[in-house]
Amino acid sequence: MFGQESSLDKKYEQALNYFYAEYPTDQSDSTAIKLLEEIKSQFPTNALTPSQSADVYEKLGTLYLIQNQPRKSIEILRRGLKFIEQNEANDSLLFNPYLYMGESFFLLNQADSSIHYLNQAEKTLDAKKDKQETGRLYNSLGVIYYESGNYAQATNYFSKARSIVTEKSNPEPSAATEYAIFSFLTNEAAAWANLKVFDKAVTLYQEALNLGIDRDEVLSKLASLYIKNQNPDSARYYLDSIAEQASRNSLPNQNINAEIHLLKGQADKSLELLIPGLDEEKRKNFQASQVALDYHKGKTYQIIGRSWMEKKEYQMAAEAFHKAILQFDGVFSEEDIWKNPSPGNINWGMTDIFESLVLKAKSTMALAKENYDMPTYQLSFDTYQVAFDLVFYLNNLYDNQDARIFLGESIRKAYEEAVSASIALYQLTKDQKHLVRGFIWAEESKATALELARNEGKIKANSGIPLALLQEEKILKFQLTRANQKIRDVQDPNNLEDLEAQVRDSKLALSRLYASYNDFSSFFDQKLNTERIRIQKLQNFLQSGQQVLLSYFVANDVIFCFMLSEDDLYLSAIIEKGPLTETIKSMNQELISSRGNNRQELEQVTIQAFDQMLGEAYPDLKKHPNWIILPDQMLVHVPFEMLADPEGNYLVENHAITYQYSGKLLQMDTSRINSDKEKAIGFAPFSAATGLPETNDFAPLPAAASEMELLEGRIFLGTAATKQEFLAHSENASIIHLATHALSNPESPEEGFIVFSPSQENHLLYAEELYQLDLRQASLVFLSACDTHQGQVMNGEGLISLSRGFSYAGCDNIISSIWKANDKVTAYLSEVFYDKVNQGNTYPEALQLAKKTLLKDTKMAQYHHPYFWANMVFIGNTFEATSRQTAGITLSFLLLILVAAGFIWFWKKKRGL
């Protein structure tokens, strides 16, 4: 017995020597495997301690993983995990088997299992002291996010992995550590390249080059970067700089070479290069896992398809794109081009699957048009739908707004192509189903990040997630916001790196917390089962003969205008984008430059805008007193109320107008609205000139206190009106009245803020903090400050502004200002608005009546110019809120009076301009 123990112990030491060889080779790894297999064959044994036996399983599984045998690795590692469980060994032994199991399943393209084991590894992280392995875990998690297209979050994981292994407390890096750093650098660079932050990506690739590890791989990645940047000459430079001929001829680099030809309009050369390369014999020198090989083959077919598209060989293109889908999707195996995969499982390269689906849809659409073949038309539309279903799945998988907005911008072009194709077929056939499809896709493409955030807020409260986790989420969001604020205010550049690390770590902590929510099956399931937009449901909401819905959708060079009534859907207009854009630009210039004086030139351009946007549809629209407008892109800043109808009347004189970010938001339940007027709170931090700090940059607002007289709840004045009191009371309030200063920043929307009492240092409520609030109980936000409905206009997400921040926080109804508000007019409109609400009018009706009262009031004649009143617009959900609105509630709304006088001076002063 003693001899056996001595023999096994000696073999174990020998195996470790080969495993940890300073310069490992295939031979040393094979010898280690042989020794470890011999030891394993003697199990169970007392010759080794439980920790040593567990280590045998771990090392053997690791070596099989290194040798690209993931199934064998999983088999061994599972046995090791079972051994640890049966022998109650130290929990710290679980980390590596979990980590390597996750990586093995990744190589098998089994995403759910990979994520499961990586999450298990993270749960044992506290017991793990090896920084290199900890860094490896964060790198693997980063790969998970990268492959799902969540590149922003992936950069955080890769950066964290790198920071762990390069901490100052670490000893001089070993060769293995340097290779790990190399991997983390190139992975992070690839993520930044996909985010189109090319300068950052190039910098990281240069750092990787400086390590002197696998120079040819970095050069290849740089060539790929410049392909993404549409720069074929720079891509050619880096591709030609690759030293090894075998590397230049590898499948990935052949793909890059073909893309260079394609970017230069040389489709024939691209095909000549790639089609022979599909031969197995041509790829025998390309050493990679099966997943990597499938991925690069998928890219090959994708490029071949694009080349055939350039040559207008649409059948060949469609077949190539279908083969690309087969390569990218690890589950779908239907070779029949008339079949498509079903979204619902996580696959690596999901964005590549989406891209291939869209390309297949485009090529089959072109083929259908050539032959006017209805089955092929249907194939194209079905393929677009599968692509958009995949986007829906991805968006629910993502854990942050930035990733969703980026995805929305990335896929917007596909929606434009799909909507245009559907409308074109409707015009040919007059078949209503094509019009309905176009309308639904148009609305699905808008404001997705906003809609999902609103929906998740509701689901979290009903999915069994413990309150402790939800509270942890609030704390982490607070820490993230504070770190971002410190970055904005940082004076010493040396402190910036630490603050950026705090931001990154807070984002990662939130990411892992959100991942834990998916352990509650109902949470993710409820998100996926959320009802998609349905035209019948929208029509059911429309009041008989009272309401009509107008949806605008920008697609390439035209703007489609849909009109939805209670019983029908019409294509009311197809507007030329260029001329209308110029008209809107002229109208805005005339409006702002007039400052309420010259009306003649403004009236001419508003008549022109009316003719372009509404002229053809107005005979049908005229009979409806209430309009709901779903604008898109440049139209989000157009106040339709000021347009003149054929009789010369402003539209506001005959129509109450509601705006909304997307038709999806009109379907949302608003049952949590609190109409208890005793829950009102009010804030007026600048109600008096006294009590303000000497360093205060904000002007007193002496009329602010009088605005609070309408409230029956709790009022905070002067130094008592702090940000802390607002945060403490706002989420349970039915009415919030803020009489203060505010600033919107269109170039950086997250830097917009609302000002509370400057008696405390932390007195600015930034836009990003609005995203963290739960204001679902509030019934209305009234923003009358300058430019609160101004902001950054995204192609897909729409307007990013302070007003959107309150919608994101859960408040359904908002009144906001497109440009500078006049204090006297705002006070007048507000007073009439309250009165009309008390009489039982809906919010948009009350605002319309307030404006009509102003226009008829001879004492206010100097303010009849649209400059003074057209800036105030209502954004909301009148379908649900209207039925709950009752007369006699003095202020059943959330009111913010925000004055921005003298704010440009403050903003410039703050930045030293």
Side-chain angles (χ1 to χ4, degrees), residues 186-187 190 205 216-226 256:
T186 55
N187 285 346
Y205 279 136
D216 283 354
E217 180 184 344
V218 182
L219 293 172
S220 175
K221 291 180 181 295
L222 279 164
S224 180
L225 178 150
Y226 283 105
I256 294 173

Side-chain angles (χ1 to χ4, degrees), residues 84-103:
I84 293 170
E85 180 183 343
Q86 290 175 340
N87 289 272
E88 298 181 355
N90 194 314
D91 283 350
S92 64
L93 298 175
L94 294 169
F95 177 86
N96 282 359
Y98 283 144
L99 173 59
Y100 302 147
M101 286 273 280
E103 292 181 351

Side-chain angles (χ1 to χ4, degrees), residues 730-750:
S730 59
E731 293 191 349
N732 294 319
S734 60
I735 306 163
I736 303 175
H737 186 125
L738 299 183
T740 184
H741 293 281
L743 180 70
S744 292
N745 187 339
E747 294 183 0
S748 300
E750 70 280 0

Side-chain angles (χ1 to χ4, degrees), residues 70-137:
R71 296 186 190 280
K72 187 70 174 175
S73 175
I74 290 168
E75 176 194 341
I76 298 297
L77 291 169
R78 272 186 172 149
R79 292 172 65 180
L81 288 170
K82 186 176 181 180
F83 175 87
I84 293 170
E85 180 183 343
Q86 290 175 340
N87 289 272
E88 298 181 355
N90 194 314
D91 283 350
S92 64
L93 298 175
L94 294 169
F95 177 86
N96 282 359
Y98 283 144
L99 173 59
Y100 302 147
M101 286 273 280
E103 292 181 351
S104 296
F105 277 113
F106 174 86
L107 292 179
L108 293 173
N109 201 12
Q110 296 183 26
D112 291 334
S113 296
S114 178
I115 292 170
H116 169 76
Y117 283 106
L118 291 176
N119 285 339
Q120 291 297 107
E122 188 180 29
K123 290 176 182 178
T124 64
L125 195 57
D126 290 341
K128 188 67 182 174
K129 304 301 182 184
D130 189 323
K131 292 186 180 297
Q132 186 169 319
E133 294 301 323
T134 303
R136 181 169 178 168
L137 170 65

Side-chain angles (χ1 to χ4, degrees), residues 443-448 451 533 662-668:
E443 290 309 307
E444 276 191 350
S445 73
K446 299 176 185 175
T448 297
E451 179 229 354
I533 189 167
S662 166
K664 294 179 289 189
L665 294 168
L666 293 170
Q667 296 185 166
M668 300 195 80

Side-chain angles (χ1 to χ4, degrees), residues 332-607:
F332 180 64
S333 60
E334 291 279 358
E335 295 185 2
D336 184 352
I337 194 174
W338 294 86
K339 305 289 186 180
N340 280 311
S342 299
N345 295 305
I346 304 172
N347 289 291
W348 306 137
M350 293 176 84
T351 54
D352 293 294
I353 297 173
F354 171 80
E355 184 180 358
S356 298
L357 284 165
V358 170
L359 289 168
K360 177 182 173 182
K362 286 177 64 177
S363 58
T364 51
M365 179 59 65
L367 193 61
K369 288 178 179 178
E370 272 190 345
N371 305 314
Y372 193 67
D373 182 67
M374 286 301 164
T376 310
Y377 272 115
Q378 192 59 49
L379 172 61
S380 176
F381 290 132
D382 289 346
T383 307
Y384 272 123
Q385 187 61 62
V386 171
F388 299 148
D389 288 344
L390 178 58
V391 168
F392 176 76
Y393 186 86
L394 281 172
N395 269 311
N396 280 289
L397 195 63
Y398 290 174
D399 58 7
N400 63 88
Q401 177 179 213
D402 290 343
R404 288 167 173 169
I405 290 177
F406 180 80
L407 179 62
E409 296 306 290
S410 300
I411 56 92
R412 169 64 188 224
K413 192 69 177 176
Y415 271 111
E416 292 181 15
E417 292 166 350
V419 171
S420 297
S422 199
I423 297 304
L425 191 56
Y426 164 73
Q427 290 179 301
L428 281 173
T429 64
K430 302 305 178 186
D431 189 334
Q432 190 74 359
K433 71 180 180 184
H434 302 307
L435 181 62
V436 170
R437 184 195 301 115
F439 169 78
I440 289 174
W441 282 345
E443 290 309 307
E444 276 191 350
S445 73
K446 299 176 185 175
T448 297
L450 176 59
E451 179 229 354
L452 289 172
R454 295 283 304 273
N455 190 47
E456 284 174 348
K458 179 181 67 175
I459 292 173
K460 283 177 189 177
N462 302 293
S463 58
I465 297 174
L467 290 176
L469 291 182
L470 297 176
Q471 185 60 33
E472 182 182 350
E473 178 185 345
K474 281 194 169 187
I475 293 170
L476 288 170
K477 285 181 174 179
F478 173 77
Q479 292 172 349
L480 176 61
T481 301
R482 290 294 295 152
N484 278 327
Q485 290 173 8
K486 289 178 181 179
I487 286 176
R488 294 188 191 102
D489 298 333
V490 69
Q491 301 293 326
D492 185 356
N494 294 323
N495 296 331
L496 189 59
E497 186 175 344
D498 289 340
L499 290 172
E500 288 176 340
Q502 289 178 30
V503 168
R504 178 201 64 209
D505 291 347
S506 294
K507 287 181 177 179
L508 291 179
L510 274 170
S511 172
R512 305 321 303 149
L513 181 65
Y514 291 145
S516 74
Y517 288 173
N518 292 332
D519 292 338
F520 302 88
S521 59
S522 62
F523 177 67
F524 193 66
D525 290 344
Q526 283 186 64
K527 289 203 298 179
L528 291 181
N529 291 328
T530 298
E531 185 179 43
R532 308 281 284 275
I533 189 167
R534 288 197 302 118
I535 194 167
Q536 186 61 51
K537 187 170 184 177
L538 291 176
Q539 287 179 311
N540 290 341
F541 284 137
L542 292 170
Q543 299 171 12
S544 177
Q546 297 295 308
Q547 288 181 308
V548 67
L549 185 148
L550 281 174
S551 166
Y552 291 89
F553 182 76
V554 179
N556 301 315
D557 298 327
V558 300
I559 302 172
F560 297 114
C561 178
F562 302 90
M563 184 173 75
L564 181 69
S565 67
E566 61 175 332
D567 52 17
D568 211 346
L569 174 70
Y570 308 89
L571 179 64
S572 64
I574 299 179
I575 307 162
E576 290 186 49
K577 178 181 174 181
L580 179 56
T581 302
E582 290 302 314
T583 299
I584 292 172
K585 183 178 178 181
S586 299
M587 184 170 66
N588 289 337
Q589 288 176 341
E590 289 292 339
L591 187 66
I592 303 303
S593 63
S594 72
R595 302 192 66 81
N597 295 315
N598 182 9
R599 191 182 301 183
Q600 184 176 359
E601 293 184 8
L602 178 62
E603 287 179 347
Q604 292 176 352
V605 73
T606 56
I607 291 171

Side-chain angles (χ1 to χ4, degrees), residues 2-286:
F2 177 79
Q4 182 187 15
E5 292 180 3
S6 175
S7 174
L8 285 180
D9 189 59
K10 189 174 294 184
K11 279 187 179 180
Y12 176 66
E13 289 183 13
Q14 290 175 337
L16 291 185
N17 288 334
Y18 283 109
F19 184 89
Y20 289 115
E22 185 174 359
Y23 300 104
T25 63
D26 290 342
Q27 181 61 44
S28 63
D29 287 349
S30 296
T31 303
I33 288 175
K34 181 175 182 297
L35 291 168
L36 291 168
E37 284 285 8
E38 289 175 1
I39 296 171
K40 181 171 69 70
S41 68
Q42 300 297 315
F43 287 171
T45 179
N46 294 322
L48 301 177
T49 66
S51 294
Q52 289 175 325
S53 296
D55 191 45
V56 169
Y57 285 115
E58 178 200 314
K59 295 295 189 292
L60 196 52
T62 303
L63 288 167
Y64 282 124
L65 177 61
I66 291 171
Q67 292 198 343
N68 200 20
Q69 298 184 57
R71 296 186 190 280
K72 187 70 174 175
S73 175
I74 290 168
E75 176 194 341
I76 298 297
L77 291 169
R78 272 186 172 149
R79 292 172 65 180
L81 288 170
K82 186 176 181 180
F83 175 87
I84 293 170
E85 180 183 343
Q86 290 175 340
N87 289 272
E88 298 181 355
N90 194 314
D91 283 350
S92 64
L93 298 175
L94 294 169
F95 177 86
N96 282 359
Y98 283 144
L99 173 59
Y100 302 147
M101 286 273 280
E103 292 181 351
S104 296
F105 277 113
F106 174 86
L107 292 179
L108 293 173
N109 201 12
Q110 296 183 26
D112 291 334
S113 296
S114 178
I115 292 170
H116 169 76
Y117 283 106
L118 291 176
N119 285 339
Q120 291 297 107
E122 188 180 29
K123 290 176 182 178
T124 64
L125 195 57
D126 290 341
K128 188 67 182 174
K129 304 301 182 184
D130 189 323
K131 292 186 180 297
Q132 186 169 319
E133 294 301 323
T134 303
R136 181 169 178 168
L137 170 65
Y138 279 104
N139 181 67
S140 296
L141 289 167
V143 170
I144 296 288
Y145 284 90
Y146 180 95
E147 292 295 342
S148 69
N150 191 344
Y151 303 118
Q153 197 67 281
T155 63
N156 292 320
Y157 278 97
F158 295 140
S159 174
K160 178 67 173 179
R162 185 157 51 97
S163 71
I164 288 171
V165 299
T166 56
E167 285 180 356
K168 293 178 181 178
S169 59
N170 286 351
E172 284 296 316
S174 64
T177 300
E178 285 196 343
Y179 192 86
I181 294 170
F182 171 84
S183 176
F184 304 158
L185 280 168
T186 55
N187 285 346
E188 185 180 351
W192 284 115
N194 281 312
L195 289 169
K196 301 188 186 307
V197 186
F198 296 114
D199 289 345
K200 176 74 171 177
V202 169
T203 299
L204 292 170
Y205 279 136
Q206 290 296 339
E207 286 186 48
L209 277 175
N210 293 338
L211 292 174
I213 299 172
D214 208 340
R215 177 181 175 83
D216 283 354
E217 180 184 344
V218 182
L219 293 172
S220 175
K221 291 180 181 295
L222 279 164
S224 180
L225 178 150
Y226 283 105
I227 290 293
K228 288 183 173 68
N229 201 18
Q230 302 288 297
N231 188 337
D233 291 333
S234 293
R236 169 64 64 199
Y237 169 79
Y238 284 105
L239 191 63
D240 289 345
S241 299
I242 293 173
E244 293 291 333
Q245 183 65 36
S247 179
R248 278 205 298 270
N249 291 336
S250 69
L251 186 59
N253 289 329
Q254 289 288 65
N255 285 342
I256 294 173
N257 198 0
E259 290 210 74
I260 292 171
H261 288 305
L262 200 53
L263 283 174
K264 288 178 170 289
Q266 301 166 346
D268 285 330
K269 288 188 177 181
S270 177
L271 291 169
E272 289 171 7
L273 184 67
L274 289 184
I275 290 178
L278 290 171
D279 188 337
E280 289 290 334
E281 187 66 22
K282 297 287 185 181
R283 292 185 282 104
K284 63 181 181 181
N285 293 324
F286 177 53

